[in-house]
Amino acid sequence: MLARKNWHQKHFETLGFGSRLADAVAKSMGSWKFIIVQTVLVVLWMTLNTIAFIKHWDVYPFILLNLVFSTQAAYAAPIIMMAQNRQSERDRAQAQADYQTNVEAKLEIEALTTKLNSIEVDKLDKIIRMLEKLENQP
């Protein structure tokens, strides 16, 4: 038996390489691991440049480090925006799937209600016939 794909699987299959890459980058940049690794690298950068005996490749006020951060921010912002846009698309797809499920459930409930009402009417008709038979007997 083949399992039906849910909305998330269907949406994921429509994403291209760039979209998947942007989602992965945004996911990793929004993690504690990224923050901790970046903090360690910045502290290491500043420490090595401050105590370097022979050659300071980026002396205080660390202009090169600021340039690296500016470049990172220039690329990170659009990538994060792309990931947020896709998250909005996923939310809309999930809302549509939820709505469709609700509509289908409503139709099923209405059909069940109709069937139960029909069964109830049949039972009441049988009871009335039985009572009528009892009345007609001497």
Side-chain angles (χ1 to χ4, degrees):
M1 174 188 233
L2 294 174
R4 288 180 51 187
K5 294 180 183 178
N6 63 24
W7 65 268
H8 181 71
Q9 293 165 330
K10 289 177 185 176
H11 180 75
F12 185 75
E13 289 175 353
T14 64
L15 297 178
F17 173 75
S19 297
R20 291 180 187 177
L21 180 64
D23 286 345
V25 169
K27 183 178 180 181
S28 68
M29 289 184 81
S31 69
W32 277 107
K33 181 181 177 182
F34 177 81
I35 292 171
I36 291 168
V37 168
Q38 183 166 334
T39 302
V40 168
L41 290 175
V42 168
V43 169
L44 187 64
W45 180 293
M46 292 175 153
T47 303
L48 290 176
N49 274 290
T50 303
I51 64 171
F53 292 114
I54 299 172
K55 181 160 175 139
H56 300 272
W57 70 87
D58 188 21
V59 295
Y60 181 83
F62 309 115
I63 303 294
L64 183 58
L65 181 62
N66 284 320
L67 179 63
V68 168
F69 280 138
S70 296
T71 304
Q72 177 187 10
Y75 283 99
I79 290 172
I80 291 169
M81 292 291 287
M82 287 187 287
Q84 287 176 338
N85 288 341
R86 270 187 303 290
Q87 181 61 46
S88 295
E89 291 172 11
R90 283 189 291 269
D91 291 345
R92 279 191 294 279
Q94 182 179 13
Q96 182 61 36
D98 288 347
Y99 174 76
Q100 190 60 39
T101 300
N102 290 342
V103 167
E104 291 170 5
K106 179 181 180 244
L107 293 174
E108 287 180 24
I109 289 169
E110 288 173 351
L112 284 172
T113 302
T114 303
K115 181 69 175 172
L116 287 173
N117 287 341
S118 161
I119 291 171
E120 190 174 322
V121 167
D122 289 346
K123 283 183 181 181
L124 288 174
D125 287 344
K126 286 180 184 179
I127 291 171
I128 290 171
R129 282 195 301 272
M130 290 171 66
L131 288 173
E132 287 173 349
K133 281 183 185 179
L134 286 173
E135 279 182 0
N136 292 337
Q137 287 181 354

